[in-house]
Amino acid sequence: MKSVRELLPEAKKGPKQRLAVVFAHDEFVMDAVKVAAEAGIVSPILIGDSPEIHRLIREFGINEPCEIIHEPDPERASRVGVDLINAHRADLLMKGLLDTKILLKAVVNSETGIKAARLLSHVGLVSFPEFDRILFVTDGAMNIAPTVEEKILIIENAVRLAHALGYEEPKVGIVSAVEKVNPKIASTVDAEAINDYYRINPPSGFVIDGPFAVDNLVSPESVRHKGLKSPVAGIADIMLFPNLDGGNIFYKTSVFLGHASAAGLVLGAKVPIILTSRADSAETKSNSIALGVISCHGLSHSRH
Amino acid sequence: MKSVRELLPEAKKGPKQRLAVVFAHDEFVMDAVKVAAEAGIVSPILIGDSPEIHRLIREFGINEPCEIIHEPDPERASRVGVDLINAHRADLLMKGLLDTKILLKAVVNSETGIKAARLLSHVGLVSFPEFDRILFVTDGAMNIAPTVEEKILIIENAVRLAHALGYEEPKVGIVSAVEKVNPKIASTVDAEAINDYYRINPPSGFVIDGPFAVDNLVSPESVRHKGLKSPVAGIADIMLFPNLDGGNIFYKTSVFLGHASAAGLVLGAKVPIILTSRADSAETKSNSIALGVISCHGLSHSRH
């Protein structure tokens, strides 16, 4: 795939997935659920205030069958969502009109939750109108100031998603403002520590290098000007950002100024979690559902 | 002006400025000097290895008169450049093929240098093909991890440039990943401290607010979705980034993925300093010279 816009048609190629939406009574979310259900990629399970959900189903003219579970309390609705995942009655989880913290609290609960990796992290996918590939952005939404150890977990979550999407050996670039290690620039020091880690523990199924400024990861011309030699320079698939601010700045600039198409998932739970924000367009939200569906196809494929 | 592409025609409206280029014998720099000289906005003073400079003048077919000062040592050439500024024999300084540190060391020298403000900082200007205004980006090139006090100096350097460019009351937005102060997110804590400072010392000739995610500064639709009320939300001119990484990520993403046009200057010296990098296009370099010329016009105007 060269563009995020191909996610929805790609998702149609595999089996329909069951999407549990916690507090589904949100116009923006319902709009995206409609698109995904009508595309035949998900069967929605809508949890929340039943009368309000019914009203929105009528308002949006959703004709596909939806299972509705009435649970007007946000904490209990979150628990219903993760219980569905644990009972294998749903394949994907999506956040609706509730505080992200409430849903994630249910996800990470050590007894009843669905945490599967050591860290939850967010991966955004962006594609620009005139650019040749999809860029994976991590983490611009969840982890504020990850340590080197956490950055390694963030990388591994993103690589797992890339594998599920069919990338055999994704190229991971560690982002900074410069390409030389400078003790005064923390992101370059972290990059060096990450490189050191992977020298001792060679990466399996991906290549990684850094630090690099953004241009050195996306522009072969910029790489030539700088005379850089690296297996990821100019051709990175996954961009590891120094912190929440950095990843968020890249993602928002891409979407709101660069006309990029986008999708995003929270990774590290038993199933992908679709956790879009109000500012995301309905298209970004339905792209994200499609991304979750494809990653379910890929993960079930790699299990067999 | 709505676009950085208007800088060059705008620069032609005022008097020609004398541009001292330190270590001018660089192909990328010479290409930009040619454009600016032929547009009639600068008289070049080219400092460096004279035979090499002559060779490039012939290679690029520069027909405008150039003063050439032979000084093949980078430190002495830098000193020649700042001496020209101090002697009022040049109006603008530009870096050629030498290490930035060497030039800046001459600039900030307390006895012979040309430092004028308490802090040197970089301002980038970017404009997107389908966006209604120029965005000022600071600081994605010089200050690594500025303190709150340094951020205030960075803001004031950028505001001074905006005033020189004719902005009466530029809107300054403080960038973060979120719009709520969160003690765990340092950029939001800094934003609150900056707001507190300006409540006690009301800003003169600009408005400022933050923290905001990028979309909340550039997208009125995003501001509506979030229900934000602020004099800068959705309409910011100047974006103060949390640190070097953040500003650099924005600038590079804009230029290398978002097809933005760009220009940049180092501010805080007696004259604007044009300090572009090898990865910048010749267009960005000539835009930066034009930006420097316009800011000289504006500053001399505001002195009278």
Side-chain angles (χ1 to χ4, degrees):
Chain A
M1 278 177 288
K2 289 189 168 190
S3 163
V4 169
R5 289 169 188 265
E6 295 168 49
L7 290 169
L8 200 59
E10 184 69 24
K12 290 184 190 175
K13 293 182 187 166
K16 197 182 271 198
Q17 303 293 316
R18 297 158 302 175
L19 172 71
V21 187
V22 177
F23 262 36
H25 38 79
D26 173 85
E27 294 195 1
F28 297 95
V29 165
M30 213 57 140
D31 198 14
V33 167
K34 175 186 160 82
V35 170
E38 291 184 351
I41 65 170
V42 295
S43 318
I45 307 170
L46 307 173
I47 308 158
D49 184 72
S50 171
E52 183 62 8
I53 291 172
H54 276 290
R55 192 185 68 73
L56 285 169
I57 285 175
R58 279 193 304 276
E59 186 182 318
F60 282 93
I62 301 180
N63 296 316
E64 298 299 312
C66 294
E67 185 180 339
I68 296 168
I69 300 175
H70 180 65
E71 178 45 79
D73 175 79
E75 287 177 13
R76 282 199 297 261
S78 300
R79 173 68 192 273
V80 169
V82 300
D83 283 352
L84 287 172
I85 302 299
N86 275 326
H88 304 285
R89 287 193 49 223
D91 309 295
L92 283 165
L93 193 63
M94 183 169 186
K95 178 186 100 95
L97 191 64
L98 81 168
D99 196 326
T100 302
K101 275 183 205 154
I102 295 176
L103 180 62
L104 291 183
K105 206 176 152 196
V107 167
V108 302
N109 184 297
S110 58
E111 286 173 27
T112 59
I114 53 169
K115 201 172 160 187
R118 280 164 56 209
L119 183 86
L120 296 183
S121 60
H122 184 270
V123 177
L125 269 65
V126 300
S127 63
F128 289 81
E130 293 171 48
F131 192 65
D132 68 345
R133 65 185 183 277
I134 291 174
L135 295 168
F136 291 55
V137 183
T138 193
D139 175 345
M142 284 199 73
N143 290 284
I144 294 171
T147 61
V148 168
E149 194 185 3
E150 288 167 338
K151 285 180 178 181
I152 288 165
L153 299 173
I154 288 171
I155 291 164
E156 298 188 348
N157 279 346
V159 166
R160 213 171 297 122
L161 176 66
H163 286 167
L165 264 60
Y167 289 73
E168 284 182 16
E169 196 172 51
K171 294 167 188 73
V172 183
I174 308 167
V175 179
S176 175
V178 294
E179 69 282 357
K180 281 181 193 151
V181 176
N182 177 340
K184 290 181 188 162
I185 305 180
S187 53
T188 68
V189 176
D190 279 10
E192 191 176 39
I194 294 167
N195 284 337
D196 288 346
Y197 173 85
Y198 284 114
R199 258 190 291 275
I200 299 165
N201 308 278
S204 166
F206 63 101
V207 286
I208 182 162
D209 198 13
F212 291 110
V214 166
D215 56 318
N216 299 325
L217 291 174
V218 302
S219 163
E221 199 184 335
S222 192
V223 171
R224 260 197 313 280
H225 280 167
K226 283 264 184 183
L228 302 174
K229 298 256 179 276
S230 159
V232 311
I235 51 170
D237 299 304
I238 298 173
M239 300 170 80
L240 174 77
F241 282 86
N243 53 26
L244 183 80
D245 285 344
N248 197 274
I249 288 166
F250 179 86
Y251 182 84
K252 298 288 179 68
T253 305
S254 301
V255 171
F256 290 92
L257 290 165
H259 299 287
S261 298
L265 289 179
V266 172
L267 305 173
K270 288 182 186 173
V271 300
I273 303 173
I274 298 137
L275 195 152
T276 55
S277 86
R278 297 193 73 78
D280 286 320
S281 66
E283 197 198 327
T284 297
K285 291 187 174 75
S286 52
N287 289 342
S288 301
I289 297 174
L291 175 61
V293 167
I294 298 169
S295 94
C296 287
H297 296 162
L299 293 171
S300 74
H301 193 76
S302 58
R303 271 200 294 268
H304 297 310
Chain B
M1 279 177 288
K2 288 189 169 190
S3 163
V4 169
R5 289 167 188 267
E6 295 168 49
L7 290 169
L8 199 59
E10 184 69 23
K12 290 183 190 174
K13 294 180 186 167
K16 198 182 271 199
Q17 303 292 315
R18 297 160 300 176
L19 173 70
V21 187
V22 177
F23 262 36
H25 38 80
D26 173 86
E27 294 194 2
F28 297 94
V29 166
M30 212 58 138
D31 198 16
V33 168
K34 175 186 160 82
V35 170
E38 291 183 352
I41 64 170
V42 295
S43 318
I45 306 169
L46 308 174
I47 307 158
D49 184 72
S50 171
E52 184 61 9
I53 290 171
H54 276 289
R55 193 185 68 73
L56 285 169
I57 286 175
R58 278 193 305 276
E59 185 182 318
F60 282 92
I62 301 179
N63 296 317
E64 299 299 312
C66 295
E67 185 179 339
I68 296 168
I69 300 176
H70 180 65
E71 179 46 79
D73 175 79
E75 286 178 13
R76 283 199 296 263
S78 300
R79 174 67 191 273
V80 169
V82 300
D83 284 352
L84 287 171
I85 302 299
N86 275 326
H88 303 284
R89 287 193 48 223
D91 309 296
L92 283 165
L93 193 62
M94 183 169 185
K95 178 186 101 95
L97 193 64
L98 80 169
D99 195 325
T100 303
K101 277 183 204 153
I102 296 176
L103 179 62
L104 290 182
K105 205 176 152 195
V107 167
V108 302
N109 184 297
S110 59
E111 285 174 28
T112 59
I114 53 170
K115 200 172 161 188
R118 280 163 56 209
L119 182 87
L120 296 183
S121 60
H122 183 270
V123 177
L125 269 65
V126 299
S127 64
F128 288 83
E130 293 171 49
F131 193 66
D132 68 345
R133 63 185 184 278
I134 292 173
L135 295 168
F136 291 56
V137 182
T138 193
D139 176 342
M142 284 199 73
N143 290 284
I144 294 171
T147 61
V148 168
E149 194 184 1
E150 288 166 338
K151 285 180 178 181
I152 289 164
L153 299 172
I154 288 171
I155 291 163
E156 297 188 349
N157 279 347
V159 166
R160 213 171 297 122
L161 176 65
H163 287 166
L165 264 60
Y167 289 73
E168 285 182 14
E169 196 172 51
K171 293 168 190 73
V172 183
I174 308 167
V175 179
S176 176
V178 293
E179 68 282 357
K180 280 180 196 155
V181 176
N182 176 341
K184 290 181 186 162
I185 304 180
S187 53
T188 69
V189 176
D190 279 11
E192 190 176 41
I194 295 168
N195 284 337
D196 287 346
Y197 173 85
Y198 285 115
R199 258 190 292 274
I200 299 165
N201 309 279
S204 165
F206 63 102
V207 286
I208 182 163
D209 198 12
F212 291 110
V214 166
D215 58 318
N216 299 325
L217 291 174
V218 301
S219 162
E221 199 183 337
S222 191
V223 171
R224 259 198 313 279
H225 279 167
K226 283 265 184 184
L228 302 174
K229 299 255 178 277
S230 159
V232 312
I235 51 172
D237 300 304
I238 297 172
M239 299 169 82
L240 174 78
F241 283 86
N243 52 27
L244 183 79
D245 286 342
N248 197 274
I249 289 166
F250 179 86
Y251 183 84
K252 298 287 180 68
T253 305
S254 301
V255 171
F256 290 91
L257 290 166
H259 299 286
S261 299
L265 289 178
V266 172
L267 305 173
K270 287 181 186 173
V271 300
I273 303 172
I274 298 137
L275 196 154
T276 56
S277 86
R278 296 192 75 77
D280 285 321
S281 66
E283 197 199 329
T284 297
K285 292 190 174 73
S286 53
N287 288 342
S288 300
I289 297 174
L291 175 61
V293 167
I294 298 169
S295 95
C296 288
H297 296 162
L299 292 171
S300 73
H301 194 75
S302 59
R303 272 201 294 268
H304 297 308

